[in-house]
Each structure stands twice: as C-alpha cells, then as structure tokens.
Amino acid sequence: MQRFGQIIRLRPEKYEEYKRLHAAVPEPILNKLREANITNYSIFHRGGLLFAYFEYVGDDFAADMAKVGDDPATHAWWELCDPCQQPFEGDSKGSREGNWWLPMESLFHMD
Amino acid sequence: MQRFGQIIRLRPEKYEEYKRLHAAVPEPILNKLREANITNYSIFHRGGLLFAYFEYVGDDFAADMAKVGDDPATHAWWELCDPCQQPFEGDSKGSREGNWWLPMESLFHMD
C-alpha cells in the first residue's frame, strides 16, 4: 500500500461551493476512484490550502489514474471542481496535465 | 475513529534536519503516541509546508494529548523539532500552547 499527500490552493471566494460539492460527491465518481484502488481518501482545508491524503492499494498507479482520467463522469465532476482550485506554480498554465494537485514528500510514517 | 489534518510551515534551511530527525523517530516517542490512541500517522512536505495526517481511535482526545504533553521524552523530542517549524500566525508568539500545528477542516472523506 502507498500513501499519498497532495496539495493545491483553494480560491477563497469558492470555499462554500467547494465544501458543498465535496459534501455530496456523486456515487459514480466515488466508485470510479474505488475501482482505481484508491481508499481512505480525505481532503482538508485551512487558509486557502487544500490537502489530500489517500491510500493506493493497487499495483499500477499510473494505469489506474489513466482509467479515472478517461471517465466522462469524472471529467464532468472536474469541470465543477477545477474552477475552485488554483495551482501553486505557473497559475495561468495550471492544468490537470501539468501542475494541478502537487505530490508531497512523505517524511514520516507511524502505523 | 476521528481523522485529523494539521498544518505548519517548515523553515527551508531546516529541511534536511527535519527529514533526518523524522526518518528515525525514537521508539519511546512513537510508543507514547500509540498509547495516546494515535495511529496511521504521516507527515508530508512540499515547498515549506508540512501536512500531518493521523487517526485517533480513543474517546478523549484532549486527555490523551495532555498525557503526551506530560511526557519528558516527548518534550526533549519537541526541543529538537520545534526550531525547524514556523507557525502560520503570530510567528514570534508561536508556541505549543498557542498556534503551533493548526487543525484543518475535513471537507471530504471516502472510505
């Protein structure tokens, strides 16, 4: 199992919308993530920073993420969420192909 | 079970020291956390931001954290780690009693 931490910024004026969207993520979106071997997935917020933590229990992360990226329902979901988010680097060029949610380095783990 | 997300800044010049310290946290420090019902604890870093994720499986978080705070070995450990970290608000007044690791709001969870 691999643990992932990722970070992105939340546009302050979009806080309420992002919170509302994530309080009721459509089941097909969640199921697609589960099929992609993602589990124990949380998103936290404070002061314009979003942090995502999840666990990956498959054996080909890139292939599983590509499957998620090929899902039309997931794309429609991203079209709702993406305007709420703001990447850290190269704001104007931020895209899901480039510098969207950024991976963090794990410095510590205790079971 | 409760999931916690917390955030603090890492002083850039202390990155290597913080990484080295957390690659070999003394077992008594870890055991004190386990006794305090903390589990699945990870710390991630990127760009001067530290994110902590852990799960609490007890039923009195404040009491358990107080026990950790009363442990002399943990205090000695904090004396090593704290100079690496920099709180977000009121830098000069940052202390473990005040604005040290800040809690984040959970906006989403999927099992």
Side-chain angles (χ1 to χ4, degrees), chain B residues 4-105:
Chain B
F4 286 80
Q6 297 180 330
I7 197 162
I8 199 166
R9 291 186 293 178
L10 177 66
R11 295 184 191 274
E13 72 276 17
K14 298 286 194 177
Y15 165 77
E16 292 294 345
E17 182 178 346
Y18 194 86
K19 183 171 178 170
R20 180 178 54 76
L21 284 166
H22 283 79
V25 180
E27 203 61 28
I29 306 302
L30 300 178
N31 285 337
K32 185 57 67 173
L33 290 170
R34 292 183 185 113
E35 285 170 23
N37 296 302
I38 300 290
T39 184
N40 200 15
Y41 186 2
S42 295
I43 297 177
F44 297 90
H45 169 259
R46 179 156 188 148
L49 293 170
L50 291 172
F51 177 84
Y53 171 87
F54 61 84
E55 295 165 1
Y56 176 70
V57 295
D59 54 16
D60 190 339
F61 184 69
D64 276 330
M65 290 309 98
K67 277 182 220 164
V68 172
D70 286 343
D71 177 47
T74 297
H75 272 268
W77 170 248
W78 287 349
E79 282 180 29
L80 296 175
C81 298
D82 286 4
C84 301
Q85 298 167 328
Q86 188 175 19
F88 271 94
E89 295 146 18
D91 286 1
S92 61
K93 299 185 208 79
S95 74
R96 291 208 164 255
E97 287 68 44
N99 53 353
W100 207 242
W101 282 96
L102 295 177
M104 299 182 88
E105 179 186 13

Side-chain angles (χ1 to χ4, degrees), chain A residues 34-53:
Chain A
R34 292 184 184 113
E35 285 170 25
N37 295 303
I38 299 291
T39 184
N40 200 16
Y41 186 1
S42 296
I43 297 176
F44 296 90
H45 169 259
R46 179 156 188 148
L49 293 170
L50 291 172
F51 177 85
Y53 171 88

Side-chain angles (χ1 to χ4, degrees), chain A residues 3-32:
Chain A
R3 296 173 189 84
F4 286 80
Q6 296 179 331
I7 197 161
I8 199 167
R9 291 186 294 178
L10 176 66
R11 295 184 192 273
E13 72 276 17
K14 298 285 194 178
Y15 165 77
E16 292 295 343
E17 181 177 346
Y18 194 86
K19 182 172 178 169
R20 180 178 55 75
L21 284 166
H22 282 78
V25 179
E27 203 60 28
I29 306 302
L30 300 178
N31 285 339
K32 185 57 67 173

Side-chain angles (χ1 to χ4, degrees), chain A:
Chain A
M1 187 263 279
Q2 291 173 265
R3 296 173 189 84
F4 286 80
Q6 296 179 331
I7 197 161
I8 199 167
R9 291 186 294 178
L10 176 66
R11 295 184 192 273
E13 72 276 17
K14 298 285 194 178
Y15 165 77
E16 292 295 343
E17 181 177 346
Y18 194 86
K19 182 172 178 169
R20 180 178 55 75
L21 284 166
H22 282 78
V25 179
E27 203 60 28
I29 306 302
L30 300 178
N31 285 339
K32 185 57 67 173
L33 291 170
R34 292 184 184 113
E35 285 170 25
N37 295 303
I38 299 291
T39 184
N40 200 16
Y41 186 1
S42 296
I43 297 176
F44 296 90
H45 169 259
R46 179 156 188 148
L49 293 170
L50 291 172
F51 177 85
Y53 171 88
F54 60 85
E55 295 165 1
Y56 176 70
V57 294
D59 54 17
D60 190 339
F61 184 68
D64 276 331
M65 290 309 99
K67 278 183 220 163
V68 172
D70 286 342
D71 177 46
T74 296
H75 272 268
W77 171 247
W78 286 349
E79 281 181 28
L80 296 175
C81 298
D82 286 4
C84 301
Q85 297 168 329
Q86 188 174 18
F88 271 94
E89 295 147 17
D91 286 2
S92 61
K93 300 188 208 75
S95 73
R96 290 209 165 253
E97 288 68 44
N99 54 353
W100 207 242
W101 282 96
L102 295 177
M104 300 181 86
E105 179 186 13
S106 175
L107 297 187
F108 169 74
H109 180 72
M110 178 191 89
D111 281 322

